[in-house]
Amino acid sequence: MTTRGNGRAASALAVSAAVAAAAALTGGPPATAAPAPTAPQVRPIAPPVSKTLTLVTGQRIRVDMAGERVTAYRLLPGGGAAGALLSFGVGGGDRYTLPADAMPQIGRGLDLSLFDVTALARQTTQDGRIPVTLDFTGGATPTAPPGVQLTSTSPSTSRSTAAGYLTPAAFAQAVREHRLPPSLASVRLRGAPQAAAHPDFPLHTLQITAAGLAGAPADTPMGSIVLNTDDVSRFGTAVPVDGGEGNVQVPAGHYAIYTVFLDHDEQGSAVAYREVAQNATVADSDDTTAVTADESAADRRVSVTTPRPAKADLLKLTWFRKGPTGLVSFDSVQIGDPSTEAVYVNALPAAPDGSRYTVQWGGSSGPATGSGAYRYDVAFGSDDVPADQSFTVRDDQLATVEQHFSADPAGGDFPGALYALPVDDFTRAVEAAGQAVLAPPVDQGDTHIPGTRTEYMGTADGGAWAYTELTPQLDTFEADITTLTAGSTHRIDWAHGPLAPGLGAHRDQQLRDCTACAGGGLFSLYFPTGDSEPDHIGSTSATSANFTLYQNGTKVADEPDVLGAQVPATGQPATYRAVFDTDLAGTGATQSTRTHTELGFRDPGGTDPALALPADVPCPETDCRIMPALTLTYRLDTDQSNTSTGAEQAMDLTVGHLSYDGRGSQAAITSAAVSVSFDGGTTWQPAALTGAAGTYHATWQNTGTAAPALKVTASDAAGGTLTQTVTAAYSLAEGGLR
């Protein structure tokens, strides 16, 4: 069978990660010229939108979007995610995710577009249906497969087509049970062409022949990922090669080919996964380029040994390739249960333009309670694919992280999950901004949300990790990239309230834009949700919000349901005041249900090096300087359901400035005050406050039974001010306080 790849039509989103991040934040590329001050052009900064997608094979994926751009996607538990799951894509382009055992059906009933996570996120309806086009054999009457509702049909003696909506769960079951109509030739995402459009260059035949372990044509379900390595945005596709041969039309050039083999036992269960990575050159001629993928070449079994017993629950292998253009492509496989499925690869030298091979492994102690639960998350990387695939986790290459998970006692339908991704220059280019890797749900085996677990993190591959948490309410919290050193111990608190808008204090390794910066004639400010960690940036499902911005006393933005705005800067020192309100009414949340934030500061202009934004931090402007905006970090003395059980309440409060790697305003903090209300904000009583210079300890008495509200005010020596009110900042224990 001959397959036409995606060409420019589907995989040519050749945008750098930094530009993609800026566009995601602002809803498009930065403006290039500021309008007249009398008519400021406001670019609202919309909150990210999250969707839960279900692939047509049953896997569930959580996707974060800014406008129509996917900023992150994560595998969710359940939905048939136990098998080998393949992902591939190019830097800045679409990401594809599909089960390995679905490879033979690509182009043979299931179109590759059904596994384009980026396109699915844009087109899947709010009720989870996928708009599709169906092709039938000539003369056949279009018939709806299980799980598909047809909205129109076009019978034809040559090729009949139909349009409709696909419900993934029902369709996936029909695929597994082989109940699709025999006349159905193809199902593709609506708008995807039946065959990829001809690109702007000649195509040539690449023939892939697969040989099984015994040398005969491979008869196991398998296929190949084919990626152009001259310009990785130029071509990428999946090619079914079961039955021994597959053909694909590609432009001339150099290619990385990753061929997948699945070995099964007599009962049909997968017992081994083998992936053969190889390179090929396709000549600019009429000759067919023939490549043989020999399953026996994948003879290096991947294994990981840990100091303490741990049952493997995550194994992810990623092959990265950098082309002469600097863009990075990747092919990745995640094994759902590596304890029952052996994994083999072949050795491969480093590529001339740059390559990286990364092994990520995770495993836990299994069912345990309290301090007895632990987990390993480790990574090993190299420029080549080494012949020795036996990796030993050493105690002197581990950091200890105590993960503390809090959650609104109202709960949610999702058990919660923590994602960990090892980060280097290659993952920053293609994955850290788009795909995170699942460390299993923390309610299975070793921990619950709310709950605590000890995690031993590997430092053998540099020790840089990116974390994301999904709470039971499907709120998202992301941590800055953290570089861990062997022997160090850390504590991370997730979703510990009050959850309130805040700009934070951040490290310099960033995947998100500066939250308040100016430069290049533009000024932008937006409010993510914060928890008790100053580097966390969160996203919650507020039902309403409003952002108002004043520049030199003039209102320049008043926008509903946004996080902030970008406006023209004045070109000289200016004062700003922002007012931001959020409301979680109707979401089921019982804590931090409403917030009101008023922030004021003066942009000094100029080129103060203390305010210069580090180069590693994306910014929607140019030559960015950090705004001297005040921030609050709360640390309430409550349990992991954000509930207080004591009559006397305590809270540590840090007042500081927005900062990145220590850069930011150094103005002295001159005042702070904390008040509490037990009647919804009608009356307030001051808390006792000790401390100075931004570090404070507040205490007050819990009275009544209503969830208390908190109000904090602060100021600095440069005239900056901040007032924040959080309704239902925490809960009071039922049955009385001690």
Side-chain angles (χ1 to χ4, degrees):
M1 177 178 181
T2 298
T3 302
R4 288 199 180 276
N6 301 320
R8 295 188 189 276
S11 63
L13 298 179
V15 187
S16 72
V19 173
L25 172 65
T26 62
T32 56
T38 54
Q41 180 181 355
V42 177
R43 188 185 299 276
I45 299 175
V49 175
S50 294
K51 285 186 176 182
T52 299
L53 307 178
T54 302
L55 300 180
V56 296
T57 45
Q59 286 75 17
R60 298 168 63 243
I61 296 175
R62 184 71 173 176
V63 177
D64 297 336
M65 302 181 66
E68 292 193 346
R69 189 178 302 276
V70 170
T71 57
Y73 67 99
R74 307 170 182 92
L75 181 66
L76 296 180
L85 196 67
L86 302 173
S87 298
F88 69 94
V90 301
D94 286 15
R95 267 68 168 166
Y96 296 82
T97 295
L98 68 158
D101 57 11
M103 288 281 278
Q105 300 178 71
I106 301 301
R108 300 176 176 178
L110 302 181
D111 191 77
L112 183 60
S113 61
L114 295 174
F115 302 95
D116 183 343
V117 174
T118 310
L120 285 171
R122 290 192 294 260
Q123 297 193 48
T124 298
T125 63
Q126 287 190 347
D127 59 1
R129 297 184 303 158
I130 302 172
V132 293
T133 299
L134 301 90
D135 299 296
F136 297 85
T137 55
T141 300
T143 303
V148 175
Q149 178 185 4
L150 299 183
T151 57
S152 65
T153 60
S154 299
S156 170
T157 56
S158 58
R159 180 176 64 90
S160 299
T161 62
Y165 289 89
L166 183 153
T167 300
F171 185 81
Q173 184 174 352
V175 171
R176 290 191 297 268
E177 297 174 354
H178 305 287
R179 291 189 292 112
L180 298 182
S183 61
L184 181 64
S186 175
V187 181
R188 64 185 189 273
L189 188 64
R190 189 176 301 173
Q194 184 183 20
H198 287 282
D200 302 330
F201 33 73
L203 295 176
H204 309 275
T205 300
L206 172 63
Q207 181 184 82
I208 303 171
T209 301
L213 289 176
D219 58 1
T220 56
M222 46 79 65
S224 299
I225 305 297
V226 179
L227 301 174
N228 184 284
T229 58
D230 296 318
D231 180 350
V232 295
S233 69
R234 195 178 190 190
F235 187 90
T237 196
V239 183
V241 197
D242 67 315
E245 184 179 302
N247 298 307
V248 61
Q249 298 297 306
V250 302
H254 300 90
Y255 287 85
I257 303 171
Y258 307 93
T259 304
V260 173
F261 298 83
L262 294 176
D263 298 337
H264 297 80
D265 60 18
E266 294 180 354
Q267 288 72 41
S269 300
V271 293
Y273 175 94
R274 299 177 188 265
E275 183 156 346
V276 177
Q278 58 192 136
N279 301 310
T281 300
V282 176
D284 190 7
S285 70
D286 293 334
D287 296 335
T288 294
T289 300
V291 174
T292 298
D294 189 342
E295 183 178 5
S296 64
D299 59 353
R300 307 293 170 169
R301 182 170 181 175
V302 181
S303 65
V304 176
T305 304
T306 54
R308 300 171 66 185
K311 183 180 183 297
D313 51 37
L314 169 67
L315 176 62
K316 185 182 182 221
L317 310 179
T318 306
W319 292 258
F320 297 99
R321 284 291 299 271
K322 182 182 292 183
T325 61
L327 289 177
V328 174
S329 67
F330 73 92
D331 170 68
S332 177
V333 60
Q334 181 170 321
I335 307 298
D337 189 358
S339 64
T340 61
E341 192 170 341
V343 179
Y344 297 85
V345 301
N346 62 297
L348 193 69
D353 291 310
S355 57
R356 189 74 174 168
Y357 169 72
T358 302
V359 175
Q360 181 179 356
W361 184 95
S364 73
S365 59
T369 59
S371 60
Y374 62 86
R375 174 176 180 81
Y376 290 96
D377 277 298
V378 298
F380 301 90
S382 55
D383 295 337
D384 63 344
V385 182
D388 186 359
Q389 290 291 308
S390 298
F391 302 96
T392 299
V393 180
R394 304 198 323 246
D395 280 325
D396 63 356
Q397 293 177 328
L398 293 172
T400 302
V401 180
E402 294 288 343
Q403 306 278 8
H404 294 255
F405 303 95
S406 297
D408 188 322
D413 296 332
F414 179 65
L418 180 70
Y419 299 79
L421 181 72
V423 179
D424 56 27
D425 289 343
F426 287 87
T427 52
R428 284 173 67 93
V430 298
E431 282 205 288
Q435 181 190 24
V437 182
L438 177 67
V442 292
D443 74 326
Q444 295 182 6
D446 61 342
T447 261
H448 295 262
I449 289 183
T452 300
R453 79 170 173 206
T454 299
E455 191 166 18
Y456 300 115
M457 303 297 302
T459 65
D461 193 31
W465 292 87
Y467 281 119
T468 302
E469 187 215 15
L470 281 179
T471 73
Q473 292 79 25
L474 286 176
D475 295 334
T476 303
F477 289 92
E478 299 181 25
D480 290 347
I481 297 171
T482 303
T483 300
L484 303 171
T485 58
S488 61
T489 300
H490 307 262
R491 172 177 173 147
I492 302 178
D493 288 282
W494 295 98
H496 193 72
L499 307 182
L503 305 181
H506 302 279
R507 290 179 283 275
D508 63 339
Q509 298 187 77
Q510 290 292 302
L511 301 172
R512 300 172 297 266
D513 284 36
C514 174
T515 54
C517 271
L522 296 169
F523 166 91
S524 65
L525 169 67
Y526 76 102
F527 287 99
T529 299
D531 59 10
S532 61
E533 297 286 353
D535 69 305
H536 285 186
I537 284 185
S539 173
T540 58
S541 53
T543 53
S544 65
N546 197 85
F547 175 82
T548 306
L549 180 66
Y550 298 85
Q551 185 182 68
N552 291 331
T554 300
K555 184 187 292 186
V556 294
D558 191 354
E559 303 289 333
D561 301 325
V562 300
L563 298 181
Q566 182 189 69
V567 300
T570 64
Q572 54 190 341
T575 59
Y576 289 92
R577 187 170 76 90
V579 180
F580 185 53
D581 291 285
T582 67
D583 194 334
L584 298 180
T587 65
T590 63
Q591 297 173 341
S592 301
T593 53
R594 293 195 307 276
T595 69
H596 176 78
T597 304
E598 297 188 21
L599 174 68
F601 56 88
R602 181 177 182 271
D603 174 13
T607 57
D608 183 352
L611 299 180
L613 186 70
D616 283 343
V617 184
C619 186
E621 290 85 41
T622 58
D623 298 322
C624 280
R625 61 185 180 276
I626 305 166
M627 294 293 96
L630 286 166
T631 64
L632 302 175
T633 301
Y634 305 89
R635 190 166 290 277
L636 265 168
D637 184 13
T638 53
D639 64 17
Q640 288 177 288
S641 64
N642 292 315
T643 299
S644 179
T645 59
E648 181 174 273
Q649 183 62 49
M651 181 181 75
D652 291 328
L653 174 70
T654 302
V655 181
H657 293 91
L658 171 64
S659 63
Y660 292 91
D661 196 30
R663 296 186 190 178
S665 174
Q666 303 299 312
I669 305 302
T670 54
S671 71
V674 177
S675 300
V676 61
S677 173
F678 293 91
D679 56 10
T682 301
T683 59
W684 295 89
Q685 62 186 58
L689 195 68
T690 59
T695 302
Y696 304 96
H697 183 74
T699 57
W700 61 89
Q701 295 296 311
N702 284 320
T703 60
T705 58
L710 287 178
K711 180 189 295 183
V712 176
T713 61
S715 62
D716 66 17
T721 59
L722 176 59
T723 299
Q724 185 165 78
T725 303
V726 183
T727 301
Y730 61 100
S731 301
L732 297 177
E734 296 182 4
L737 303 172
R738 297 194 301 269

